[in-house]
């Protein structure tokens, strides 16, 4: 029922990430239970999905900021406009 709820009420991006997470879980169980051999293509696909999730859920201010601004904010403990960031 949980999967039916997710597929009925979530947007297409969340559905895609849910399917990828289910595939990763199935792969992990196959490795543990059946000795499945994970190949490079599968790992590359999971890494691509992880990077895309990071880019999708990262606030726009962080993506558009310069590297030096982000590093300065992290090192000084400043918070971003949306409340994310390091808290002392």
């Amino acid at each position: 029922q949980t999967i039916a709820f997710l597929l009925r009420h979530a947007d297409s991006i969340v559905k895609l990430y849910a399917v990828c997470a289910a595939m990763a879980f199935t792969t992990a169980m196959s490795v543990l239970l059946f000795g499945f051999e994970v190949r490079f293509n599968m790992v590359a696909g999971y890494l691509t999905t992880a990077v895309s999730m990071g880019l999708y859920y990262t606030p726009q201010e962080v993506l558009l900021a310069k590297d030096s601004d982000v590093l300065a904010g992290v090192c000084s403990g400043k918070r971003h406009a949306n409340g994310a960031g390091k808290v002392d």
Side-chain angles (χ1 to χ4, degrees), residues 6-27:
L6 177 72
L7 294 177
R8 185 176 305 128
H9 297 290
D11 65 353
S12 62
I13 299 293
V14 174
K15 289 178 189 177
L16 179 63
Y17 290 144
V19 168
C20 290
M23 287 174 28
F25 177 76
T26 303
T27 301

Side-chain angles (χ1 to χ4, degrees), residues 27-83:
T27 301
M29 290 296 110
S30 295
V31 168
L32 292 173
L33 298 175
F34 307 119
F36 179 74
E37 184 178 328
V38 179
R39 300 193 184 264
F40 173 76
N41 293 343
M42 187 172 291
V43 173
Y46 290 141
L47 289 176
T48 302
T49 302
V51 168
S52 72
M53 286 180 68
L55 290 173
Y56 183 76
Y57 288 110
T58 301
Q60 186 176 10
E61 307 86 45
V62 175
L63 291 175
L64 296 177
K66 295 180 182 175
D67 291 341
S68 58
D69 295 339
V70 173
L71 289 175
V74 169
C75 293
S76 68
K78 289 183 182 177
R79 306 187 100 210
H80 294 287
N82 67 349

